[in-house]
Amino acid sequence: MKSLLTTLSLLLLCSISFATLAEETATEKLEAKTNDAKRSAQAKVNRAKEATCTDGTMKCLGEKIKDRTVEAYDATKDKAVELKHKAD
């Protein structure tokens, strides 16, 4: 799990370094803030769900890994779109 997040972070960092940065429009900035807020809210819901998990250690761990993977995927996808907007 940690290596997955590290790999995704490294890919994101590499793509940032090669992107030419330009100004984002107000709509794109609003979309980025909305995506950040949605991801933050979903992460809080996941943490609360994980804190109250009583189904057994392995099942709870599986849910936690699934939640973190989805969160990392969503963050990477949103950041890729933001980079595309900045490059346009």
Side-chain angles (χ1 to χ4, degrees):
M1 181 65 193
K2 193 172 188 176
S3 63
L4 174 66
L5 292 176
T6 304
T7 303
L8 291 174
S9 299
L10 184 60
L11 287 173
L12 181 62
L13 184 62
C14 288
S15 59
I16 289 173
S17 64
F18 293 117
T20 345
L21 300 179
E23 278 297 312
E24 289 181 293
T25 65
T27 306
E28 293 167 346
K29 288 180 183 179
L30 180 61
E31 180 183 350
K33 288 184 186 227
T34 303
N35 288 339
D36 289 343
K38 284 180 184 178
R39 284 194 319 270
S40 177
Q42 186 60 45
K44 289 178 183 177
V45 167
N46 289 342
R47 300 306 174 277
K49 185 175 65 173
E50 292 161 7
T52 60
C53 184
T54 59
D55 293 334
T57 305
M58 291 308 290
K59 188 169 182 180
C60 292
L61 184 60
E63 286 295 317
K64 186 175 184 178
I65 291 170
K66 184 185 99 182
D67 291 342
R68 296 298 189 288
T69 304
V70 170
E71 289 170 11
Y73 171 78
D74 289 342
T76 304
K77 182 179 68 168
D78 290 343
K79 293 300 175 186
V81 171
E82 288 176 28
L83 285 173
K84 180 188 173 297
H85 289 303
K86 286 182 181 180
D88 289 342

